[in-house]
Amino acid sequence: MKGSEIRQRFLDYFESKGHKVVHSSPLLPANDPTLLFVNAGMNQFKDVFLGNEKRDYSRAASSQKCIRAGGKHNDLDEVGKTARHHTFFEMLGNFSFGDYFKKEAITFAWDFLVNELGLDESRLWFTVFEGDDEVPADEEAEELWIAAGAKPERVLRFGKKDNFWQMGDTGPCGPCSEIHYYMGDDPGDPEKNRADLVNAEYGDENIEIWNLVFMQFDRSEDGKGGFTLANLPAPSVDTGMGLERVSAVMQGVRSNYETDLIRPIIDRVAAISEQGTGSGEQANVGEGLVPAQTDIYDSFDDEKKFACRVIADHARATAFAIADGILPGNEGRNYVLRKIMRRAIYHGRDHLGLTDPFFNEVCDFVIGEMNEAFPELEVQRGFIRKMVLLEEERFGNTLTEGSKRYEEKLGKVSSENAELFTESAKLFDTFGYPRDLIRVRLESQGLKFPEEEFDEKFDNALGKLQEQSSIGKTQQAERINPIYAKLLEEAGSGKFLGYESIFVEDARVRALVKGDDVVDSLEEGDEGLIVLDRTPFYAESGGQVGDRGKLFNHSVHVNVLDAFAPIQGVTVHKSKIKSGSVKAGDFVTASVDAEKRDATRRNHTATHLVHAALKEVLGTHVKQAGSVVAPNYLRFDFTHYQPMSEFEVREVEDLVNRYILENEPVATDVMAIEEAMRSGAVAMFGEKYGSEVRVLSVGDGTFSKELCGGTHVRATGDIGSFKITADEAIASGVRRIRAITGLDAFRRFREDELLIDRSLGVLKTQRDQLPVAIEKLYEDLKKTRKEVEDLKLKIATGNAGGSANGDEAKEISGVKVLAKMVDDLDPSGMRHLSDTLMAKVRSGVVIIGRKGDGKVSFIVRVSDDLTDRVKAGNIIREIAPIVGGRGGGKPDMAEGGGSEPDKLSEAIDASYGVIERMLE
């Protein structure tokens, strides 16, 4: 049975049991700073399990894309070595949000495995929690497995390490029950298919295939340094089954890499390797390989097979990550992806001899294999291949630069020293130079380390290095103030009326918060939070800032400074009481600042037009990577691999303004998420959507149709005008546009006109000649500056005219030393002067010091015939501290500086003594 068929059977089975089939969320976690990547099926339902979000279904099933690399869950180093570890995998899961519990979950699991898939009962093992001082044994689960059909001797008990789940030290937790499968040849073999090999730390014959987590308890601190457990009012179920593992079971193979999900990719890598290049003819994507090609991998030695497995796994992670808007970079998840990609590229180069780009072709093959189940891969095919090719080219340059750095820092090392592993870690961390290559090169220099010892010392050095940066780290979870959950529970969800009106009368004050406490009233001068039963205030979301405005009645006047929603369903008004007092239960009139709301609406609709225009001008690979929609500007981040040209910026501006002039209607429809996606609406990565969504269409929707819960204009003409003010890079493969609309754009046009008019007056030229006049002025200025610098250099050289013959140069132990101070020379002028003086001295030392702008700079030159006795870098290191600075360089030339110009003369005088000591 193919992996794709198993996936569909799973989803169909649970749909028949009343579950809502939910499409995989993107690998980019939505509003969860604790995760680098989505790494489990429950991630997209986390807020539902915690009670912070409600959906219109209580049962769900999904096949979730997952990456485990970096952070707490990191399988990267095990990939290719074992039969089970991957960076990318699919997790099949069924979930109950306070609906069914252990009985149904266990019954479903048994029924699906035994009756749907037809697994041999004699190969299945079931584990339950054995209990401890805190939590009793899960006898209920044990009895339910036996009632479902399992033999009692095949239901085993294990401790918390294997059979208890918790989200953190406090919060939801509970026992779990794992299903294991014996992969050996003969299930009747009592020596191998036995209980003590379940959960054993060795062997691949007994593997876990499914885990059923029963969220049964809520753990809280008891105030005495310990914890207490309470039963959850609505216990839930979270299950996870690896598609690759169950595919291996169903296809009768011992390794996930031999399944139809991964083996065709491995064979494609082997075929490319046999061609000897990655630039050969592309495979028939999606059609698999001809039988003869499958023999190539089988003929490889273990080292090459390992490389093929690593590349195949990493190609899956790469293709899916880029399709979901995660691009290679230098921080966080972007850094981890870059490491994954470069690890694959390095294995191809080092073990398979693939010196030309090849990884982009492997990723393209992955798309062909997986695009039916995940159509987003096909949509981003061109962009994925382009980004991978760029990274391959960058890594080629990295290896070149890394080799230079290696030669400088480690090329002559012959024994272990304190800096060896620090420099090795820097090579890896800063330059991306592979650790394996570092170890191989060190061994060639006679420095041999056992692999485990090398890895331990290397990892310690790398850990210390990364403690100083954010690379590979996730943020700590921002705990939601329990006040908000309490407000939702006691006051219920408020109603947002801001789509229809910015003015609501008789809104009831449901709750008041001051500091961290719910209070009965807020008095004049107080700052606090106000929750209403109905509000026109838009809570900050989707990049759009929260509304500002007023709340008032006959006895109180409140300034609303911001509006936000800490949890779904609760809009909080950050407020200051201007006069009077407000009490829980009061009725107020809520009024949004109309001018700011209108300006924000213009900018929000403009971001949709910008997104559509970017896709049309730059390509369909463009994805939104973030945004800010404020009253006075908009900021739009998007994926693109190079700076926009002047022509492209103009094209985007023209396209947006054309749609503004056409005054296209802007319509919003509310529909089911599935219907919205089928209609072609664009969803934003990193955003969460409920079962019903708002779909915003410009005109007939062919140009722009997006899921959006923000506020918008009624027609594009309301935007007025649009102007891009900046285009900049913010990360590798991510750019940022800043723009303005409406009156802000008009004011910008007017300011530009005033600047042009003033420039025309100063330069006394016509409008069409302004660029020519500015260019001429610039060239004249550049020429004049060069003449001034040349004159300064001549003066400085002239002042030292006789020095080479001994007028200013001193002779120390037979060596000519010329040390002098100069004024008004820039760094380039100093280097030119040092060249001139060195040519006059021929054999000797030249030291030049300059002060300006409160700083000191030095340059030291030593003729080649003296570098074995006097080194320029050592001279700089002696005299720079005198002026409160430092410096360094090579034996023949060094530079430095300091911050105490008053001591320059002292430093110049001291240089003679420094050189004299070196010559002794």
Side-chain angles (χ1 to χ4, degrees), residues 285 319 363-371 377-378 381 384:
V285 177
C363 292
D364 194 74
F365 186 80
V366 169
I367 296 169
E369 291 288 299
M370 304 290 286
N371 59 5
L377 289 171
E378 187 62 43
R381 182 192 287 272
I384 293 168

Side-chain angles (χ1 to χ4, degrees), residues 29 33-39 67-77 87 331-337 339-340 466 470-476:
T34 67
L35 290 177
L36 285 170
F37 305 96
V38 166
N39 59 20
I67 287 181
R68 288 188 178 175
K72 178 182 176 182
H73 298 288
N74 184 6
D75 292 339
L76 183 60
D77 289 338
T87 52
E331 291 187 357
R333 62 179 62 90
N334 309 92
Y335 172 78
V336 175
L337 176 59
K339 189 161 70 169
I340 289 171
Q466 291 186 344
S470 63
I471 290 175
K473 296 181 183 177
T474 55
Q475 301 174 30
Q476 290 295 314

